[in-house]
Amino acid sequence: LRLSPPEAAGPAGDNKGFEMGLFKKFGKRRANIIASANIAARAIVDASGRLETLRVAVGGVGPRARRLLALEALLEGIQLPSPAGGSFFDAMEAEIIAAVDEVVSPISDVRGSLAFKRALIIHAIEGLAASLAARDASVGAPAGTLDAPEEATR
């Protein structure tokens, strides 16, 4: 995942909120490859820690790139836990997966099975949730990694 760092806190630790973005391309190599799947997201968190805006789009998991509108609607407005409180993903996992499944309908092909591609997207959203909860872009998955989640098999 490549996440932009959160905006620095203001004077005397005055939290002004922050914004994070990511783009993740899952493939066997870093360049010159058709991706198995990809995801792009942008999140804006206000000063109180509320997820104000979320935009998520996925590609390679259906006939065309699509936004995850149900996921955006589900998560916009939630209060993020404190940085030490962990991610919101575990508490909302079933709802998040259901929202993803409304749009993600990949075919099995030479780049991966349906289950593999679906797991890639869920893994990327879990990483975004961890980064947002920690208010730290380095949390979630290492920058530049192309590793698939362990539970995803071809």
Side-chain angles (χ1 to χ4, degrees):
L1 299 173
R2 295 185 187 273
L3 298 172
S4 57
E7 185 178 313
D14 177 33
N15 184 358
K16 299 186 288 183
F18 62 92
E19 179 177 334
M20 284 189 187
L22 77 83
F23 175 77
K24 175 67 178 157
K25 175 182 170 183
F26 294 99
K28 293 181 181 179
R29 297 185 310 227
R30 293 188 183 272
N32 300 325
I33 187 166
I34 297 173
S36 294
N38 57 64
I39 184 169
R42 178 174 181 239
I44 299 172
V45 179
D46 69 16
S48 71
R50 185 180 64 83
L51 184 55
E52 186 175 290
T53 304
L54 179 66
R55 298 294 177 263
V56 182
V58 293
V61 292
R64 60 183 171 82
R66 304 250 330 251
R67 280 192 38 209
L68 299 179
L69 298 173
L71 178 71
E72 295 170 5
L74 173 69
L75 298 179
E76 280 185 350
I78 68 165
Q79 185 69 35
L80 297 177
S82 69
S87 169
F88 58 84
F89 185 87
D90 290 338
M92 301 181 72
E93 184 173 6
E95 296 93 337
I96 290 170
I97 290 172
V100 169
D101 285 345
E102 286 186 19
V103 171
V104 174
S105 59
I107 60 168
S108 295
D109 60 20
V110 296
R111 289 176 286 284
S113 69
L114 179 148
F116 176 74
K117 293 177 182 182
R118 182 179 170 275
L120 292 175
I121 298 303
I122 299 296
H123 175 68
I125 292 169
E126 185 176 14
L128 175 63
S131 295
L132 287 169
R135 277 83 164 160
D136 184 346
S138 66
V139 174
T145 184
L146 291 177
D147 296 334
E150 290 179 24
E151 68 275 8
T153 58
R154 290 182 181 244

